[in-house]
Amino acid sequence: MKKLVIIGGGIAGLSAGIFAQKNGFDSVILEKHHTLGGECTGWDRQGYHIDGCIHWLVGTKKGTAIHDLWNTVGALDGVECFHPESFLSFEYDGVTVHFYRDLERLKSSWIELSPEDEEAIEGFYQTIKRLQTFEIPVGKPMDMMNIIEKVKFLLSMKDAGYVMQKYGKVSLKEYAKNFRHPALRETVAFFMPDGYSASSLFFALASFTKGQASIPYGGSKAMAMRMVERYLELGGTIEKSCEAMDLTIKENQVKNVICKNNKTFEADYIVAACDPKVLYQTLLKGKYPDKQFEQRYNDPKVYPLASNMYVSIGYEGTIEDIPRTLNFPVTPFEINAVQINRISINNYQYEPLFAPKGHTVFTCAINQFHCDYDAWKELYKNQGAYKSEKARIGEEILRSMEERFPEMKGKLKVLDVVSPMTYERYCNAYRGAFMAFLPTIGSKEMAHKGVIKGLDNLYLSGQWLQPPGGLPVALITGKDTVMRICKKEKKKFIAH
Ligand SMILES: Cc1cc2nc3c(=O)[nH]c(=O)nc-3n(C[C@H](O)[C@H](O)[C@H](O)COP(=O)(O)OP(=O)(O)OC[C@H]3O[C@@H](n4cnc5c(N)ncnc54)[C@H](O)[C@@H]3O)c2cc1C
């Protein structure tokens, strides 16, 4: 039996492991952390459960190929999903704009708010509706398709191609100018930071409005653990607290993976399902540079990376009428000299087991970009200052919530504050990024095969292969890597 060593036990590593076992390989997953799931995780604080990932999972619609793939790896098998009424509810100057899941309701509520925008709203609605035909391709990577499969694939991408062509190079801020009502304009412009392509709004809403981007009950950690269970059932091996640090390379072959805990693993194939910087820099010592990644790392303006401040708040009470994700203005405060004027909170009321009886947990994510990361990295050198800055931000969020919901005053507490350094520390995430390069109007698409030039038996897998990444990309690329290895071994790939 050929031996496959997988570095990283996130969703990509677990997916690769599950498909490796299904296809007759003897696999081991090496994970640096003491638990698996990578960025798809959750943790407990003071009797509350904090979900650290899934805000929307592409693949929740039964009967679709991506849903079947999640089922195959055990992630959604037998699990019901929570379908939020709106993707985001945005408060602006006394009105609330909802990105309703029911697209007809979205359209009528927007027209009711601003009849003079009817034409722009109709165009918005039609684009989302048209893009609902799009399904994320999961069958096989394009370079492995035969000509007939390629033609079928390209035809299936017709509507996505139309939207990319029309809106790929239009910034959200520019697109938002189509709306005259300030609340609609602000809501649309706010969906992603400045410079981001309007296409991202359409892709997200097309998935959401057709029920393809909901939230599995039990949350992120439970989903990752179901995949761990599936992997172990199939006979896979897991080595936790086992950080890969070095590779032994002879000619064009990687022979061994050497870990921090002095364990060495011999391999016929290696799948690096970790951050690509870890692969290219730590493991390959910069000897096998990759042009596609280098170009992007060196141009953070066109290829930005987002990390997060992730603040969790416990509420001693329940509240029925706060949407799942609500964005509202706040008395301004600063993070790294950037003024924060609005925050988004996620309400986990739909998960009663995430909080003690009669309580509710909220999370608030504030994106952190290039300069923020540099500031956090510097601050981290002084642990006292780092901790008190995190605590200050936690208090700012708590205060902002109390201002917006006076009835919560005195009943809120900060449970936890995560910074970009947390993602770096726990997951080796480059610059604390939680997704791959985000789509801006200047960026070029990247579809990396995961093949390392000059090495025959080492593959990269994970969300970074297909920016902007996310959980479905991690899932698909884990499977695709095993498909490539099967092809090399002249084995028929077993998909189920
Ligand atoms: C707050 C937040 C919200 C998110 N929301 C969503 C969402 O709503 N929808 C969505 O689709 N995606 C979301 N994401 C993104 C999603 O979590 C990631 O796309 C996905 O988990 C990436 O999976 P991965 O396996 O590619 O990488 P990772 O999760 O980064 O896994 C890599 C693994 O490798 C391990 N590792 C690294 N270096 C080594 C080494 N040297 N040796 C051994 N192990 C190593 C790490 O510890 C980690 O476990 C969110 C992420 C965050 C943080």
Side-chain angles (χ1 to χ4, degrees), residues 245-258 264-267 270 283-285 288 455 457-458:
M245 296 304 284
D246 208 349
L247 303 173
T248 326
I249 300 172
K250 282 208 182 99
E251 292 166 358
N252 292 344
Q253 297 275 319
V254 180
K255 298 288 177 193
N256 297 299
V257 181
I258 301 152
T264 297
F265 297 86
E266 210 179 318
I270 290 100
L283 299 173
L284 294 173
K285 320 286 180 225
Y288 298 83
L455 292 171
N457 65 338
L458 171 64

Side-chain angles (χ1 to χ4, degrees), residues 352-426:
L353 296 180
F354 279 17
K357 201 169 170 22
H359 295 221
T360 312
V361 63
F362 291 90
T363 60
C364 169
I366 300 176
N367 280 167
Q368 299 285 280
F369 294 98
H370 201 78
C371 298
D372 301 298
Y373 169 83
D374 292 338
W376 283 110
K377 185 87 182 164
E378 190 55 33
L379 193 64
Y380 192 70
K381 291 177 190 159
N382 178 343
Q383 278 295 303
Y386 170 71
K387 282 184 184 149
S388 66
E389 180 58 0
K390 283 207 309 176
R392 180 190 69 83
I393 293 168
E395 288 306 319
E396 292 287 9
I397 302 300
L398 186 146
R399 177 194 52 75
S400 305
M401 285 184 68
E402 281 186 346
E403 275 178 18
R404 171 62 187 81
F405 306 104
E407 66 274 31
M408 291 185 181
K409 215 172 168 110
K411 294 181 187 167
L412 295 173
K413 63 176 166 186
V414 179
L415 301 173
D416 191 42
V417 182
V418 160
S419 88
M421 301 315 296
T422 318
Y423 297 109
E424 185 174 272
R425 196 152 54 92
Y426 282 102

Side-chain angles (χ1 to χ4, degrees), residues 83-149:
H83 302 288
E85 195 181 12
S86 70
F87 189 89
L88 167 73
S89 302
F90 190 91
E91 293 183 345
Y92 183 88
D93 209 12
V95 293
T96 307
V97 179
H98 300 273
F99 287 105
Y100 284 121
R101 192 160 75 92
D102 177 343
L103 190 54
E104 302 303 322
R105 186 174 173 203
L106 186 159
K107 178 171 132 177
S108 59
S109 68
W110 285 31
I111 292 176
E112 193 182 326
L113 173 68
S114 179
E116 59 172 2
D117 278 318
E118 185 162 0
E119 202 183 322
I121 294 165
E122 184 63 33
F124 179 66
Y125 162 89
Q126 288 298 344
T127 307
I128 296 169
K129 210 167 169 64
R130 179 167 185 174
L131 201 53
Q132 283 181 341
T133 59
F134 170 74
E135 283 294 344
I136 188 165
V138 303
K140 50 169 92 159
M142 196 154 164
D143 61 286
M144 290 178 76
M145 292 176 187
N146 62 33
I147 187 78
I148 296 168
E149 288 167 335

Side-chain angles (χ1 to χ4, degrees), residues 148-190:
I148 296 168
E149 288 167 335
K150 255 183 206 161
V151 171
K152 272 191 182 161
F153 168 73
L154 289 172
L155 284 174
S156 75
M157 299 293 279
K158 191 168 55 74
D159 293 323
Y162 162 82
V163 170
M164 282 311 292
Q165 206 167 22
K166 190 156 179 199
Y167 297 107
K169 300 290 169 205
V170 177
S171 77
L172 254 188
K173 212 170 188 174
E174 204 48 47
Y175 176 71
K177 288 182 188 158
N178 284 319
F179 300 95
R180 283 182 223 169
H181 196 292
L184 293 183
R185 214 164 41 225
E186 283 300 310
T187 303
V188 170
F190 188 84

Side-chain angles (χ1 to χ4, degrees), residues 6-14 30-33 35-41 51-58 242-245 273-275 278 282-283 308 310 365 423 426-429 433-436 461-464 468-474 477:
I6 299 162
I7 302 170
I11 297 304
L14 286 164
L30 314 180
E31 169 53 51
K32 82 177 271 270
H33 200 21
T35 183
L36 275 80
E39 292 187 342
C40 182
T41 193
D51 194 295
C53 184
I54 302 172
H55 295 69
W56 51 301
L57 179 74
V58 171
C242 192
E243 183 170 7
M245 296 304 284
C274 52
D275 191 287
V278 173
T282 312
L283 299 173
N308 257 345
Y310 199 70
Y423 297 109
Y426 282 102
C427 296
N428 277 352
F434 68 94
M435 298 273 282
S461 206
Q463 65 162 339
W464 291 83
L471 294 159
V473 175
T477 55

